[in-house]
Every structure is written in structure tokens, then in C-alpha cells.
Amino acid sequence: MGENFPSIMFIGVLTLALCVFPGFVLSQNEGTIRHYKFNIQMKTVTRLCHTKSVVTVNGKFPGPRITAMEGDRLLIEVVNHVPNNISIHWHGIRQLRSGWSDGPAYITQCPIQTGQSYVYNFTVVGQRGTLWWHAHISWLRSTLYGPIIILPKQGTPYPFAKPYNEVPIIFGEWFNADPEAIISQALQTGGGPNVSDAYTINGLPGPLYNCSTKDTFKLKVKPGKTYLFRLINAALNDELFFSVANHTFTVVETDAIYVKPFETETLVITPGQTTNVLLKTKSHFPNASFFMMARPYVTGQGTFDNSTVAGILNYVIPSNIRHSKKLPLFTPSLPALNDTNFVTNFTNKLRSLATPQFPANVPKKVDKHFFFTVGLGTSPCDKRNQTCQGPNGTKFSASVNNVSFVQPNTALLQAHYSGQSNGLYSPYFPVNPLHWFNYTGTPPNNTMVSNGTKLMVLPFNTSVELIMQDTSILGAESHPLHLHGFNFFVVGQGFGNFDPNKDPKNFNLVDPIERNTMGVPSGGWVAIRFLADNPGVWFMHCHLEVHTSWGLKMAWLVLDGKLPNQKLLPPPADLPKC
Ligand SMILES: *[C@@H]1O[C@H](CO)[C@@H](O)[C@H](O)[C@H]1NC(C)=O
Ligand SMILES: *[C@@H]1O[C@H](CO)[C@@H](O)[C@H](O)[C@H]1NC(C)=O
Ligand SMILES: *[C@@H]1O[C@H](CO)[C@@H](O)[C@H](O)[C@H]1NC(C)=O
Ligand SMILES: *[C@@H]1O[C@H](CO)[C@@H](O)[C@H](O)[C@H]1NC(C)=O
Ligand SMILES: *[C@@H]1O[C@H](CO)[C@@H](O)[C@H](O)[C@H]1NC(C)=O
Ligand SMILES: *[C@@H]1O[C@H](CO)[C@@H](O)[C@H](O)[C@H]1NC(C)=O
Ligand SMILES: *[C@@H]1O[C@H](CO)[C@@H](O)[C@H](O)[C@H]1NC(C)=O
Ligand SMILES: *[C@@H]1O[C@H](CO)[C@@H](O)[C@H](O)[C@H]1NC(C)=O
Ligand SMILES: *[C@@H]1O[C@H](CO)[C@@H](O)[C@H](O)[C@H]1NC(C)=O
Ligand SMILES: *[C@@H]1O[C@H](CO)[C@@H](O)[C@H](O)[C@H]1NC(C)=O
Ligand SMILES: *[C@@H]1O[C@H](CO)[C@@H](O)[C@H](O)[C@H]1NC(C)=O
Ligand SMILES: *[C@@H]1O[C@H](CO)[C@@H](O)[C@H](O)[C@H]1NC(C)=O
Ligand SMILES: [Cu+2]
């Protein structure tokens, strides 16, 4: 059906011209309108000698790249040609007053059903760097994902030397089986879902897997140049370590926010996060090739995919050097799979750039303090005559403040906007856990969670401080929490239970990292601040898809402000219906 369309459809020469940085631009304030067309269609893909039909955008796996300049408006028409319901999330885009385009199914929109289409319509404001898009329904994001590249405004250089070249590097997770069958089976049996068969770099597992050598990402570089790697972790369930043998990264940006540059040989990136790093190549042809490798950082107790994805960094062979067919291939050393010390060190180095041009606007006063526990739990087996495969014959579950989120059957934002929310959700999400327990000590005997569709309601412009506390129920575990509609500042983090008397004294209100996804440390806590200046319903969830499926999610309802420009815009006419 969709083969007749070009994979990315730009309308107008302006857009094309801008991609190669011409000497002209419309207006810096208005920005350019960029049109894309996403045909959701099936495509046969073979990896690890397993061939299957996967859901793609425009037949591409990974999906097409979206390029915009800060200030531009994006109009992305998504046409659904597959049997599955679809919705697409523009991960990290603030969606100021345009919550209808955020994408999480049954939160801001009903899914785009087979044969239907929907135009996502939003502007890119105050962000520049790398973000990404992905499906936001069930586990379809396993194959539906791609980069969003936001170039700085014309005439605004990067706050670092202009790189010679830019390379998107997206990590993914490949399953030989159908991921939709895997999560559906797991939710039915109550057990943990089957793990992936490989990690991928730009869709390719690389030579360390059986039957995969031809599917290796290879990057050819020149000596003495600086490359900008735009790293995206699109894996479903795994945080990843990443390193390139014999090369050092300079971290310059995370989640489309510049950071104080620092050097590291290895970095860690959670699902949902993006990281831009500079890689300076060796000044002379090194007579060698270099593996770039990623493998997981794991804190949970369940089984996981412990394999390693590898790509290869090759140097262009100078003409004065005769065939170097068999170059030695160097391997990076990656931290142990459970190296929490490394992760703590790495996250502590991340600081906002915090310059007059790129300030860190940390809320200094706090209107509302919240304390949420995040972690696993159990729920009863609903088939009376059968034992479930979760702990002690129960089903695995997960919760925020002991509420495991129940997905409604219509979109929360629509229900709220049209005043038809009665009974669909409760506006009383708990501000604290109902009972204190030693969150990171011996877990309580009763691991059963409660459930519901509960929202936390915030007046417009509320300044929020939220402590997210991991629990040890069914094992402490790092949870990369993602907030839609906002960036937040990570003002503090630590291990054990958060201490409201001692810990706030050490909060960093000067140059904390600003981002949209942050790992709650395993057996620890994180403190974030954000200003609720964006009206709408905003999802917050663990970006480990298995935990989201088990209910580790909730939503904020930010009310309209008084002024006309503080109100959610009306819904577009083509907004899908349930
Ligand atoms: C996109 O949204 C803007 C702001 O609401 C609106 O003015 C414009 O008409 C919309 N464009 C399309 C094609 O829907
Ligand atoms: C998950 O793994 C089990 C054990 O290998 C297998 O029997 C089952 O079919 C798998 N489920 C899916 C959906 O592939
Ligand atoms: C790469 O690093 C290894 C280990 O540190 C070292 O032995 C080797 O000489 C290096 N090779 C190159 C080409 O830099
Ligand atoms: C990965 O897990 C398998 C099965 O548990 C084990 O046999 C193997 O040694 C592990 N590999 C690594 C690199 O840890
Ligand atoms: C990490 O795993 C190793 C064995 O694989 C174990 O010896 C070590 O205690 C673990 N470290 C932590 C911090 O859990
Ligand atoms: C973490 O940082 C400390 C102090 O900078 C250093 O001593 C330690 O070796 C680092 N640990 C790891 C695992 O990198
Ligand atoms: C057991 O449950 C299944 C569905 O879960 C049902 O079809 C079956 O009739 C039940 N058996 C008994 C003996 O209740
Ligand atoms: C399972 O049951 C055993 C024995 O009743 C108990 O010791 C254990 O804590 C239970 N585990 C969970 C996860 O509830
Ligand atoms: C909580 O549990 C930890 C680990 O068992 C223990 O060290 C700590 O003292 C406990 N804290 C409280 C307040 O009971
Ligand atoms: C859990 O149950 C055991 C025995 O059933 C009891 O001794 C223990 O105090 C209970 N622990 C908690 C935290 O309630
Ligand atoms: C919510 O919890 C109740 C009580 O445990 C349970 O019966 C019900 O099935 C749960 N609902 C969902 C959607 O999980
Ligand atoms: C697709 O979404 C609609 C609207 O929510 C729902 O009624 C339908 O059951 C869904 N279809 C599938 C295949 O999930
Ligand atoms: Cu999680």
C-alpha cells in the first residue's frame, strides 16, 4: 500500500535547503514548517538467520530520521496500514500546549486504527540536540523508532568545536519471536517476559552473534577529525554500557540539553535517554580497527539478555599504505554487568552547561513536594484454577506509590478536555506512600499492589519537587523514569532511604543536569524539580517496557492557566477516536 510514497516526504524546497545549511532562513522566530509522512507498514527483516515480518515506518528498520531546526513546526502524517493499533511519541519534545501530539496511547490520544491517519503537529521550542521518536503502544516500539535531530538556530553555533561529521547511533533490541506475542504471553501467565536475542546498533547485531557477521554496523572515519555521535537507547528493557576501543568520548549533551563537557572511555545510557558525544579520531592512520561495543547494566533479579552488540570503527586507509587486509581489531573493556559504582560515578559527572546563553532554570522555590515509591510487586492470579508464573503463584506487577496503573479504554486528555472524565480516573494520586516501610531494607511480607487510574492534578505553573524512591520489593532495581511534557532537573540522588532532614542540604540548585529520563538508582532515590508550565495530561513511567507493562506508570494533569497563552489548544479535527 505504502510503497509508492517516498520514505520521507519533504514539501517545498525550503526544507531541503535547510538540511544542508544554506545561507538563508525564513525567520528565526517563526521557523520553517517541515512535513513528513510516516506510512506504518509491514516489512520482512532477517537477523540472526530468523526472518520475520515487523511493523515499520516506510519499510525502514530502524525508522527514518527526522531533522528540524530549533523553532520549526513539524507536521508528521502517520497512516496506519498494519493490523495493529498505532500511536507515535516524540520522545523529549516538550509539546508546549500541543499535548494532543504527544502520542502515548490512551493517555493523550486514542490509537490510530488500521486504515486511519493522524497528523502530529508541534513546534520545537528551546531544545537542540538529539531526541527520538517511537511507538507508544504495547511493545511495538521494538521496531518502530528513529532519531530526531534538532539543529541549533541559524547563526547559533554549538558550544563546542563544530564536528567534522555527525553519526546517529541507535541501540535497539532484537527478538527472534514477535515481541507482541512475548508481552501478551507474559501478561497472561504473570511471569517475566522472554528476553531479547540480541542488541543492535542501527538495527544490526554485529559479529559476536551466530549468523550475524554480515549485519554489522561499520563506521569509516578519517584521522585527526572530530565526530559527533548522536546516541539513543531505544532498547526495550536494558540500560547499556557503550565504549569504543582505544578512543575517548567527550560528553556534550544529554536529552537535547548541553552539558559541561567531560571525558570518559565508557558511558551508560538508559532506555529513553539520548547522549551526544564527541569522538576525536587518532591523528594518524593507526593500522588497526576498533570494536564499538554495548552490553547491559543490570540490577534486577530476573533473567536478562547478557549478550554484546559490536560495530566496527575503521579508518580510511591512506593511499601510501599498501593493502592492510588483516588489520588487528581492538576490543574495549566494558564495566561488569552489575557495576553500579561506575554508573553512579558517571551520572554524578553530568552537569548542565549553565551559562547565560544556556541557563539552568532550576526552580528555587517549591510549591509542592511529592514522594513516590517506584518498584515491583505482585497481583493476584485471576484464573482461579491455575497457578500464575510470578512469585509464589502470583502475577508480576509494578507500581508508583503502590498504585499499579490501569490503562483506561479512552484517552485521558480527551476525557479531561471534554469534561467527560467522570469515573474514568481519580484525580487523587497519593502524594506519599500510604504506609511507611523500610523501602530499601527487608521488604514487607505482603507484596500485593493496589491498582487504579489515578492522576496527580497540578495548577498551572506549580513548582514541583518529587523524590522517587526505589523499593526492595522483589529486589531493588534501577528504574529509568521518563516524564512527558517537561524536562526536569536532577537536584540530588543517593542510596538507601531518602532522608528529608539530611539529603536536601546537599541538593545541587546551581548546575544540575536537565533531562527527560533519569535512572532511579537501584536501592536508592532521586530528587527532581520541574515547573508545571505546560497544560495537559502528562505520562510518567519507567522506560523499561516490561515495568511499564506491569503498571509502573502514572500521569500528571496540569490545568490551564488564566492567560490565553497558558491554555491547552483545542484538539485537532483528525484526533483518533476510541
Ligand atoms: C498545527 O497547529 C497550529 C497551532 O495550533 C495550527 O495553527 C495549524 O493550523 C495546525 N496545522 C495543521 C496542518 O493542522
Ligand atoms: C518464550 O520462551 C518459552 C521457553 O523458551 C517458549 O516456550 C515460548 O514459546 C516463548 N514465548 C514466545 C511468545 O515466543
Ligand atoms: C589499543 O589499546 C590497547 C590496550 O590498551 C593497547 O595495547 C593497544 O596498543 C592500543 N592500540 C592502538 C592502535 O591504539
Ligand atoms: C550469559 O548467560 C548465560 C546463561 O545464563 C551464561 O551461560 C553465559 O555465561 C552468560 N554470558 C556472559 C557473557 O555473562
Ligand atoms: C557483581 O557480580 C559479581 C559476579 O558476577 C559478584 O561477584 C559481585 O558481588 C556483584 N557485585 C554487585 C555490586 O552486586
Ligand atoms: C568512582 O570515582 C571514584 C572517585 O572519583 C574513584 O575512586 C573510583 O575508582 C570510581 N569507580 C569506578 C567504578 O569507576
Ligand atoms: C480453567 O480456566 C479456563 C480459562 O482460564 C477455563 O476455560 C476452564 O474452564 C477452567 N477450568 C475449570 C475446571 O474451571
Ligand atoms: C513466597 O512464599 C514464601 C513462603 O511462604 C515466603 O517466604 C516468600 O517471602 C514469598 N515470596 C514472595 C515474593 O511473596
Ligand atoms: C532499613 O534497612 C536497612 C538494610 O537492612 C538497614 O541498614 C537500616 O537500618 C534500616 N533502616 C531503618 C530506619 O530501619
Ligand atoms: C513476615 O512474616 C514473618 C513470619 O510469617 C514474621 O516473622 C515477620 O515479622 C514478617 N515481616 C514483616 C516485615 O512483616
Ligand atoms: C485491580 O485489583 C483488583 C484487586 O486485586 C483485581 O481484582 C483487579 O483484577 C485489578 N484490575 C486490574 C485491571 O489489574
Ligand atoms: C484498537 O483500538 C480501539 C480503540 O481503543 C479498540 O476498540 C480496539 O479493540 C483496538 N484493537 C486492537 C487490535 O487492539
Ligand atoms: Cu523500571
Side-chain angles (χ1 to χ4, degrees), residues 217-399:
F217 174 66
K218 290 182 177 157
L219 179 65
K220 198 141 224 165
V221 296
K222 290 183 181 169
K225 304 276 187 211
T226 299
Y227 290 79
L228 177 70
F229 284 9
R230 296 176 176 274
L231 307 171
I232 298 164
N233 187 348
L236 282 187
N237 293 318
D238 295 85
E239 305 185 37
L240 293 168
F241 292 119
F242 177 62
S243 188
V244 179
N246 298 75
H247 290 75
T248 301
F249 302 128
T250 305
V251 180
V252 292
E253 182 237 293
T254 61
D255 296 3
I257 296 287
Y258 295 129
V259 304
K260 290 197 171 72
F262 68 92
E263 290 191 353
T264 186
E265 271 154 33
T266 303
L267 57 83
V268 63
I269 184 167
T270 80
Q273 292 182 333
T274 54
T275 306
N276 278 4
V277 299
L278 300 174
L279 179 139
K280 198 167 185 340
T281 57
K282 299 190 172 295
S283 48
H284 297 100
F285 176 63
N287 242 317
S289 294
F290 306 92
F291 268 133
M292 43 180 117
M293 286 183 171
R295 70 171 186 186
Y297 163 58
V298 180
T299 51
Q301 295 182 336
T303 48
F304 63 97
D305 175 357
N306 64 1
S307 66
T308 303
V309 54
I312 298 176
L313 188 80
N314 283 315
Y315 279 72
V316 175
I317 301 176
S319 51
N320 60 343
I321 295 189
R322 284 205 291 147
H323 308 281
S324 317
K325 275 259 165 63
K326 268 243 144 133
L327 291 177
L329 184 53
F330 289 95
T331 302
S333 66
L334 286 164
L337 298 171
N338 60 359
D339 196 342
T340 294
N341 284 339
F342 177 89
V343 173
T344 308
N345 272 10
F346 180 81
T347 42
N348 281 336
K349 283 184 207 146
L350 291 168
R351 297 295 162 101
S352 285
L353 194 54
T355 58
Q357 194 183 4
F358 301 106
N361 293 319
V362 193
K364 294 281 163 33
K365 76 163 180 52
V366 173
D367 300 322
K368 293 227 167 123
H369 291 265
F370 301 110
F371 184 94
F372 293 177
T373 53
V374 297
L376 304 188
T378 55
S379 62
C381 194
D382 44 18
K383 293 178 195 144
R384 291 269 156 71
N385 64 5
Q386 195 189 315
T387 303
C388 287
Q389 287 166 18
N392 286 357
T394 63
K395 284 182 150 185
F396 271 113
S397 191
S399 68

Side-chain angles (χ1 to χ4, degrees), residues 91-106:
H91 184 114
I93 297 276
R94 294 259 351 245
Q95 300 290 3
L96 290 164
R97 303 172 61 213
S98 58
W100 307 108
S101 287
D102 191 40
Y106 302 104

Side-chain angles (χ1 to χ4, degrees), residues 470-549:
D470 185 30
T471 75
S472 54
I473 298 172
L474 305 183
E477 184 166 1
S478 165
H479 298 282
L481 262 291
H482 171 50
L483 175 61
H484 290 228
F486 304 93
N487 282 337
F488 50 75
F489 291 91
V490 183
V491 297
Q493 63 174 318
F495 290 99
N497 298 333
F498 172 73
D499 183 336
N501 298 317
K502 272 183 18 210
D503 290 321
K505 293 187 186 112
N506 299 322
F507 283 175
N508 174 6
L509 304 180
V510 177
D511 63 352
I513 189 74
E514 176 183 350
R515 60 189 325 170
N516 64 58
T517 307
M518 170 67 191
V520 177
S522 178
W525 56 270
V526 65
I528 64 171
R529 286 190 184 183
F530 67 96
L531 181 66
D533 60 356
N534 192 12
V537 175
W538 303 109
F539 210 17
M540 188 174 85
H541 59 95
C542 183
H543 223 284
L544 304 183
E545 214 53 47
V546 52
H547 294 171
T548 309
S549 302

